[in-house]
Amino acid sequence: MDNGLAHEESAFINFRRCVPDPKEHGFRWVDIKQLRFSAESVDDRGLLAALIGHEQFRDDYAGGGVLPDGHRHGPYWLRLITPDLYEPISQENAVQILREWVDPLWDVPTELEADLQQEVFARLEVLTEAVDHVTFGLDGRWSGRGKATVAALDRVG
């Protein structure tokens, strides 16, 4: 499906590989998918709609990976996910929400903190220096710890 977005790279951080107790990770991970859009792309809502419609968003996280013809994002039906579920927030608020999700009950292991700094928090810092805004959407609660989808829209120049 061509919707003006091109998948460039992905990064996956599994909390489980960084903790000694196999139950301590709380079934949490970060899955980053970087997509490029053209300079003449539509407004933010249009870009969010394109993201939701992109095949990289079609991952049910049940072990099968991205399913190009899939109907779910995580445990959620795609037909129920719309750009209206997302709202613009500041970089500081995005970092605060993600920090609360990452370390509510434990000291984050050093290796995990380094990975999160490099792959998540550093990306937010860079984006907000040349961005209209960062968009964050909560699309539900999962596993008692919460699940968040963050979409950072970078409009350079």
Side-chain angles (χ1 to χ4, degrees):
M1 171 188 311
D2 180 22
N3 60 8
L5 297 176
H7 180 246
E8 291 191 329
E9 65 179 327
S10 296
F12 189 82
I13 302 170
N14 192 338
F15 286 33
R16 179 180 6 197
R17 71 172 182 77
C18 300
V19 295
D21 181 346
K23 295 178 230 153
E24 189 177 5
H25 62 86
F27 300 97
R28 288 179 290 170
W29 61 84
V30 176
D31 188 12
I32 299 167
K33 297 173 193 272
Q34 183 173 329
L35 297 105
R36 177 163 305 284
F37 55 91
S38 65
E40 60 274 355
S41 290
V42 295
D43 64 6
D44 291 351
R45 294 283 178 215
L47 284 171
L48 285 167
L51 172 67
I52 293 165
H54 196 277
E55 71 177 26
Q56 288 294 315
F57 201 77
R58 297 169 184 272
D59 192 333
D60 62 12
Y61 298 104
V66 171
L67 304 170
D69 295 323
H71 300 286
R72 297 172 61 136
H73 174 73
Y76 308 102
W77 293 106
L78 287 173
R79 72 184 187 295
L80 301 176
I81 302 173
T82 68
D84 293 334
L85 293 175
Y86 293 80
E87 62 185 31
I89 63 169
S90 69
Q91 184 267 352
E92 293 84 10
N93 199 4
V95 168
Q96 177 186 354
I97 291 168
L98 289 170
R99 277 281 168 212
E100 289 172 359
W101 176 79
V102 167
D103 55 5
L105 302 173
W106 63 324
D107 293 325
V108 180
T110 305
E111 180 183 3
L112 177 59
E113 179 61 37
D115 288 347
L116 291 169
Q117 183 57 44
Q118 177 181 335
E119 296 293 344
V120 179
F121 298 109
R123 289 177 192 249
L124 284 175
E125 289 170 13
V126 170
L127 284 174
T128 56
E129 290 180 11
V131 73
D132 288 338
H133 64 266
V134 175
T135 302
F136 179 89
L138 283 177
D139 61 7
R141 292 288 169 198
W142 195 13
S143 299
R145 296 265 183 140
K147 178 185 177 290
T149 297
V150 176
L153 306 180
D154 185 10
R155 290 187 184 272
V156 179

